[in-house]
Amino acid sequence: MAEASRVVRERPTSPHTTIWRWHLTMATSILHRFTGIALYGAALIAAAWAISLAAGPDTYGAYKAVMGSILGKVVLFGLTLAAFFHLGNGIRHLTWDLGFGLDVKSANASGVGVIAFTVAATLAVWVIAGMAGAF
């Protein structure tokens, strides 16, 4: 019995960033994933804090020196941005899960709201930390 010849077609590929026009909901979705990854880094920094605290004053002093440097402050500022963005966008996703705000106009407005919340909350935390003498 002869096998019938089959035409082999290439599998279709998913649209990607070179095909789709960038829009706010796409950017916030990607940023949500990146900030989630960044928060894993924040957990490692918090673990290093606890370990250095338990290791004694010399180790803790070294940890404070690293985190108090310009690079350490930039990292902490970035992690603050990541935490507030992830929080705001997570709440946005919860409202979407409830069926609210799924139309394009509402989705774009909530994206702008998340970004505004992120900037305002991050600046507020750093201003309060500065006023409290944390720097």
Side-chain angles (χ1 to χ4, degrees):
M1 177 175 205
E3 186 176 318
S5 65
R6 297 186 326 188
V7 176
V8 177
R9 294 186 211 160
E10 295 218 8
R11 293 176 49 108
T13 58
S14 230
H16 46 79
T17 57
T18 60
I19 294 172
W20 288 99
R21 181 181 55 86
W22 278 85
H23 51 87
L24 186 62
T25 52
M26 178 189 283
T28 56
S29 176
I30 293 167
L31 279 174
H32 190 73
R33 288 172 175 85
F34 285 148
T35 57
I37 293 166
L39 293 176
Y40 277 103
L44 293 174
I45 290 171
W49 169 78
I51 291 167
S52 70
L53 191 60
D58 292 336
T59 306
Y60 184 65
Y63 178 86
K64 280 178 49 176
V66 169
M67 296 312 291
S69 70
I70 296 293
L71 180 60
K73 288 177 184 174
V74 168
V75 168
L76 290 174
F77 186 82
L79 290 176
T80 308
L81 278 169
F84 282 123
F85 181 85
H86 205 75
L87 171 66
N89 209 45
I91 292 169
R92 179 179 179 220
H93 276 269
L94 287 174
T95 61
W96 285 352
D97 289 344
L98 295 172
F100 300 109
L102 295 172
D103 60 287
V104 174
K105 186 176 178 183
S106 297
N108 286 336
S110 64
V112 170
V114 166
I115 293 168
F117 164 74
T118 300
V119 171
T122 300
L123 291 177
V125 164
W126 279 77
V127 165
I128 291 168
M131 290 173 24
F135 301 124

